Amino acid sequence: MTVLFVNACLRGDESRTLTLCREYLEGIEDVKEVNLAELKLDPYYGGQVAFRAQLEAHDNYDDPLFDLAKDFAEADEIVIGAPYWDLSFPAALKIYVEHICAMGITFHYTDQGICEGMCQARHLTYITTCGGKVAGINFGYEYMCGLANMLGIPEVRFAVAEDLDVVGADIEANLNEARNTIAELRETR
Ligand SMILES: Cc1cc2nc3c(=O)[nH]c(=O)nc-3n(C[C@H](O)[C@H](O)[C@H](O)COP(=O)(O)O)c2cc1C
């Protein structure tokens, strides 16, 4: 079984989100990590979109620009770790999404014109932390639900630690709440 870990915890070892992700992944063999802080992907602009589209139109998927999408499509399980930034997640993660949304690899259109996901993963686990209380609507998580739906991943699982930057908050207790969820998620992999 391959687990693809998309690490969007851009503060590296300082990141509380990354600590939670490592706890979820502990002891799991066959984890492939995509470290977005190291990759520093470029966003797609018109020229690259046109170049990729003509490759897709010819079913020509040999170009390395498709490698991230292939890994995403083939993984048995996806884990994404990202802090809550500006109501969702770091832009680096959105740019990664641009790279993996490759038609013919992670999704395609049926003859009836319906978008159909092509990914193998049985679930996507989204782990995040927030400075404040996001009060039930976490747009990072909501976005991932939409993405998973588009790419054919049937389940999205979620662990969050909130109130990590609030003065006087019991940060360790807030992290422990997420740890409890993570322990349950590990049991139901
Ligand atoms: C650029 C930036 C934007 C942020 N935006 C939000 C936000 O919209 N809502 C919120 O509750 N916290 C926000 N925060 C606080 C982070 O979510 C919080 O510190 C989080 O725990 C950081 O995760 P990390 O320790 O893994 O880096 C932001 C922090 C940064 C650096």
Side-chain angles (χ1 to χ4, degrees):
M1 175 198 301
T2 319
V3 179
L4 183 72
F5 171 40
V6 181
N7 177 357
C9 305
L10 304 184
R11 296 196 311 123
D13 289 341
E14 300 288 307
S15 165
R16 284 89 51 102
T17 318
L18 184 59
T19 301
L20 295 176
C21 293
R22 297 264 181 252
E23 290 174 14
Y24 177 82
L25 294 167
E26 196 183 341
I28 301 175
E29 289 173 12
D30 207 5
V31 177
K32 179 164 188 176
E33 179 170 336
V34 181
N35 186 326
L36 298 185
E38 287 173 4
L39 263 186
K40 294 192 168 56
L41 294 168
D42 289 324
Y44 267 80
Y45 290 100
Q48 294 98 315
V49 169
F51 177 64
R52 181 170 72 175
Q54 56 88 19
L55 293 175
E56 290 167 346
H58 293 94
D59 286 333
N60 180 355
Y61 298 109
D62 294 335
D63 194 285
L65 73 81
F66 292 115
D67 288 353
L68 290 171
K70 287 176 186 168
D71 284 347
F72 195 93
E74 288 164 13
D76 296 318
E77 180 181 344
I78 308 281
V79 178
I80 299 180
Y84 203 66
W85 276 15
D86 305 319
L87 288 184
S88 59
F89 43 68
L93 180 54
K94 176 60 173 67
I95 293 170
Y96 171 78
V97 170
E98 292 183 351
H99 284 254
I100 59 156
C101 287
M103 193 164 57
I105 297 179
T106 49
F107 73 98
H108 75 133
Y109 285 94
T110 65
D111 293 341
Q112 290 74 37
I114 294 165
C115 182
E116 198 172 64
M118 296 172 69
C119 293
Q120 304 297 315
R122 62 180 180 285
H123 49 62
L124 183 159
T125 300
Y126 188 65
I127 299 174
T128 190
T129 67
C130 316
K133 196 173 274 310
V134 174
I137 180 135
N138 184 304
F139 293 113
Y141 167 67
E142 299 293 333
Y143 178 93
M144 288 304 154
C145 291
L147 182 73
N149 187 45
M150 169 179 162
L151 301 184
I153 301 172
E155 188 189 357
V156 182
R157 295 129 50 93
F158 181 48
V160 61
E162 296 189 321
D163 272 351
L164 295 196
D165 295 341
V166 172
V167 177
D170 188 342
I171 292 165
E172 208 48 38
N174 295 341
L175 282 168
N176 284 340
E177 260 186 55
R179 289 189 168 106
N180 291 338
T181 308
I182 282 171
E184 286 168 20
L185 294 178
R186 276 171 60 86
E187 277 172 21
T188 53
R189 281 183 60 230

